[in-house]
Amino acid sequence: MWIVTYARKLEEMPSNVEIKAAVHNPTFLKQRAEELSKSAGTLIRQQDTFFNVQKGRLKLRHLMNGSGQLIFYERPDVDGPKLSNYSISGTEDPDGLARVLSDALGVKGAVKKERRLYMVGQTRVHLDNVEGLGHFMELEVVMKEGQSTEEGEAIAHKLMEELGVKKEDLIVGAYMDLLLADKKG
């Protein structure tokens, strides 16, 4: 019975199709995102603490209002659009939760970023300034029930074109991976 319940929960995990790219001209990309979203976007400051886990990624996001979100996600480390499955749980005590997770799992590292969020249809467009790395853009096509991965990928490709994102600017992995690779290099 437990296995059936667990399998059902995995199938119900929300998903999105994501891409991440380096940004060489943040002013141009901001202008295009504002035009496409018909908004000035929303400024968000975040710190994500990543924990050591055997599969996927587990991070605790500290938000500007003092709350937090524990986020688990799995996605392949490839460039271009990729399906990401995730689950999120809110917390009003991110510092306490960070201590418990740190004691239990160990900390992999932390990512601090200033993010501007734009909504374009069913896609979250993030323009990120990541401390220690620079400027990046993420697209997250939030999948609707019954929508295929191919449809999400088509939306991501179209938005990449509209935003002027080139294939050679696409990056693999999470910001945490880039920071850790930078420390090794």
Side-chain angles (χ1 to χ4, degrees), residues 10-43:
L10 280 180
E11 290 171 11
E12 295 170 4
M13 284 179 85
S15 63
N16 55 39
V17 170
E18 296 184 11
I19 68 148
K20 189 177 299 186
V23 172
H24 305 290
N25 187 341
T27 303
F28 171 78
L29 198 59
K30 182 177 185 281
Q31 178 185 355
R32 287 296 297 142
E34 287 178 355
E35 290 169 4
L36 293 169
S37 70
K38 297 176 179 47
S39 78
T42 303
L43 181 64

Side-chain angles (χ1 to χ4, degrees), residues 45-53 56-63 67-73 89 91 93-113 130 174-177 179-180 183:
R45 288 183 185 89
Q46 301 172 335
Q47 177 174 321
D48 293 341
T49 303
F50 284 79
F51 300 94
N52 297 314
V53 291
R57 292 182 175 92
L58 181 67
K59 66 184 175 184
L60 179 62
R61 174 163 288 161
H62 285 75
L63 301 169
S67 68
Q69 296 174 322
L70 185 62
I71 304 167
F72 171 76
Y73 64 101
S89 180
T91 179
D93 184 17
D95 293 331
L97 185 55
R99 281 190 299 279
V100 171
L101 290 169
S102 176
D103 289 346
L105 302 172
V107 173
K108 190 175 199 173
V111 174
K112 292 181 183 179
K113 65 182 172 258
V130 182
Y175 296 138
M176 186 75 256
D177 301 330
L179 285 168
L180 290 172
K183 285 183 182 179

Side-chain angles (χ1 to χ4, degrees), residues 12-184:
E12 295 170 4
M13 284 179 85
S15 63
N16 55 39
V17 170
E18 296 184 11
I19 68 148
K20 189 177 299 186
V23 172
H24 305 290
N25 187 341
T27 303
F28 171 78
L29 198 59
K30 182 177 185 281
Q31 178 185 355
R32 287 296 297 142
E34 287 178 355
E35 290 169 4
L36 293 169
S37 70
K38 297 176 179 47
S39 78
T42 303
L43 181 64
I44 304 167
R45 288 183 185 89
Q46 301 172 335
Q47 177 174 321
D48 293 341
T49 303
F50 284 79
F51 300 94
N52 297 314
V53 291
Q54 290 183 354
K55 69 173 191 153
R57 292 182 175 92
L58 181 67
K59 66 184 175 184
L60 179 62
R61 174 163 288 161
H62 285 75
L63 301 169
M64 293 183 332
N65 66 2
S67 68
Q69 296 174 322
L70 185 62
I71 304 167
F72 171 76
Y73 64 101
E74 292 181 290
R75 69 168 180 243
D77 286 333
V78 296
D79 65 5
K82 54 199 153 268
L83 187 66
S84 176
N85 294 306
Y86 60 93
S87 54
I88 299 174
S89 180
T91 179
E92 294 304 315
D93 184 17
D95 293 331
L97 185 55
R99 281 190 299 279
V100 171
L101 290 169
S102 176
D103 289 346
L105 302 172
V107 173
K108 190 175 199 173
V111 174
K112 292 181 183 179
K113 65 182 172 258
E114 186 174 279
R115 165 172 278 181
R116 189 156 295 270
L117 166 66
Y118 302 89
M119 289 302 301
V120 178
Q122 71 189 77
T123 305
R124 294 187 292 249
V125 178
H126 301 138
L127 301 185
D128 294 338
N129 185 2
V130 182
E131 191 175 292
L133 289 178
H135 296 278
F136 295 86
M137 184 266 335
E138 281 186 3
L139 297 180
E140 294 178 350
V141 181
V142 181
M143 301 302 289
K144 297 177 181 176
E145 190 173 327
Q147 193 170 29
S148 72
T149 302
E150 292 77 18
E151 289 173 286
E153 289 174 357
I155 292 168
H157 280 294
K158 183 175 186 292
L159 257 177
M160 282 173 57
E161 228 174 86
E162 292 174 334
L163 291 167
V165 176
K166 297 180 176 101
K167 184 163 177 53
E168 58 266 20
D169 294 330
L170 297 178
I171 61 169
V172 174
Y175 296 138
M176 186 75 256
D177 301 330
L178 296 175
L179 285 168
L180 290 172
D182 211 29
K183 285 183 182 179
K184 288 179 184 175

